[in-house]
Amino acid sequence: MSGDLFDITSEGDVVLRLHVQPGAGRTAAVGRHGDALKLKVAAPPTGGKANDACLAFVAELFGVKADQVELTQGQSSRTKRVKVTGIEADDARHLLATALDGTGNAGPAWNVRPPDH
């Protein structure tokens, strides 16, 4: 489907494209950034804290366990790819559309607390 914020691997896993803004006031999906989901992350970009917050957010967004979410690209970049196992493409598409309320803007329901460190 055109406009998806993710790719599908040959194994059927979802690989979500993210654009991350670390050090924000809160962790939340804030809309689209080109072909990626834009996340503001409260955690700082040091010691992997922002990456951990991204993974926790994606797990909550898709309703999967933390071990089903893996950062595959962009460990030290704002542009990231996160693989999610155990979710169908249609379900991912629906959850992202709901999170972005059909306008490309995120709704308030997708704010999460940063992980405890």
Side-chain angles (χ1 to χ4, degrees), residues 5-97:
L5 299 172
F6 59 87
D7 301 309
I8 303 296
T9 67
S10 59
E11 295 83 23
D13 298 325
V14 169
V15 180
L16 183 63
R17 294 182 298 271
L18 299 176
H19 179 81
V20 179
Q21 178 184 338
R26 62 189 174 105
T27 298
V30 294
R32 295 180 75 106
H33 183 85
D35 68 348
L37 177 65
K38 183 173 182 181
L39 296 183
K40 287 187 176 185
V41 177
T46 56
K49 292 178 182 176
N51 288 339
D52 291 344
C54 286
L55 296 177
F57 180 88
V58 170
E60 183 171 315
L61 174 68
F62 287 121
V64 298
K65 296 178 183 177
D67 64 357
Q68 292 176 266
V69 180
E70 174 189 358
L71 180 62
T72 61
Q73 187 178 4
Q75 285 76 3
S76 59
S77 171
R78 286 180 181 240
T79 302
K80 302 183 182 300
R81 290 189 181 257
V82 174
K83 181 170 77 169
V84 183
T85 58
I87 187 163
E88 297 292 325
D90 287 341
D91 293 335
R93 201 170 283 120
H94 173 74
L95 290 167
L96 287 168

